[in-house]
Amino acid sequence: MFFTLSKLAWFVFSPVNFVILLVGFCAMLSFTRFARTARWLGAAAALGLVLMAFSPVGRIVVRPLEDRFLQQDAARGPVAGIVVLGGPIGIARDDVVLLSAGARITKAVELARLHPEAKVVFAGGAANLISPVTHTEAEGARLMFTGLGLAPDRLILEDKSRNTLENAVFARRLVDPKPGERWLLVTSAWHMPRSMGVFRKAGFPVEAFPVDYLSEGEPEDFVRPYARAPRGLVIADDGIKEWIGLLAYWLAGYTDALFPGP
């Protein structure tokens, strides 16, 4: 139920979707007795869209998320396994497609080569709400990992999870981590605080290894505009979604902290 409600709610209240829907609603109201109010509301919505598209709002939103967990020394000590969260990969026309968070996959391969004794766990099924599932993310991950030279017997593929909560719970069941083992968690830096909170709550002790940064980590993040509107809109959307996700997971009891930290 949580998965279904979250998908439906986010379709409507995703910042970009919401603003576009609001502009359309105001356009319809402009032919009614509420035309004056509609014009003002529509203008405010259009301004919000422009700010998300071109101003540094997106970076300002994601920067605290990405600063929460630092990338550690990958060579420090032995590693039992590397857990990679779904979202960055798919299959189209029987070939692998890397999506915007593809750095999760490439960094996992880099870490796997650095630690040849480590297992590589990919947690990701299909988050489809309406359309039928033809391929899971885990299928794409298997093709990519083996194509990049990882031995199939090193891979543990979890193909049922649909969100971060299920990623943690199902992965823990599969690998049954032992006390003292070191497991690295690889996901996008802006997604790491919520992921760490969920894994801790699920009883899977992991160490954060954030990748796929959307901000530069420099003072310019707070002032530099975006040159292309789609980039700004995507980053603002992802960042605001993650803050809402942190609140929702905390209220639902899936994490013990509102903003999990090191």
Side-chain angles (χ1 to χ4, degrees), residues 9-20 48-49 51-53 55 57-59 61-62 65 190 194 214 226 229-245:
W10 188 245
F11 174 79
V12 176
F13 295 109
S14 157
V16 175
N17 284 6
F18 179 75
V19 169
I20 292 173
L49 195 64
L51 288 175
M52 286 190 290
S55 80
V57 163
R59 292 192 199 91
V61 169
V62 301
L65 296 166
W190 49 268
R194 181 158 57 107
L214 299 178
Y226 290 99
R231 179 69 172 165
L233 291 173
V234 167
I235 292 177
D237 218 47
D238 284 343
I240 295 171
K241 175 186 178 181
E242 198 57 33
W243 283 108
I244 294 173

Side-chain angles (χ1 to χ4, degrees), residues 82-89 104-105 120-126 136-139 141 145 156-172 174-175 185-187 191 199 204:
I82 302 154
V83 182
V84 189
L85 298 193
I89 198 164
R104 301 183 192 180
I105 297 291
V120 178
V121 182
F122 182 89
T136 65
E137 293 180 20
E139 291 179 72
F145 284 141
I156 300 175
L157 304 175
E158 185 285 302
D159 63 358
K160 304 299 181 187
S161 59
R162 301 168 297 175
N163 56 25
T164 308
L165 171 67
E166 294 179 354
N167 288 160
V169 173
F170 297 169
R172 186 187 185 283
L174 272 180
V175 305
L185 178 63
V186 178
T187 190
H191 184 234
F199 271 75
F204 192 163

Side-chain angles (χ1 to χ4, degrees), residues 87-110:
I89 198 164
I91 295 180
R93 303 182 186 227
D94 298 321
D95 199 6
V96 176
V97 177
L98 278 181
L99 306 178
S100 59
R104 301 183 192 180
I105 297 291
T106 56
K107 182 58 71 172
V109 173
E110 179 184 332

Side-chain angles (χ1 to χ4, degrees), residues 108-122:
V109 173
E110 179 184 332
L111 293 171
R113 289 175 176 168
L114 184 63
H115 297 282
E117 75 287 353
K119 293 289 187 181
V120 178
V121 182
F122 182 89

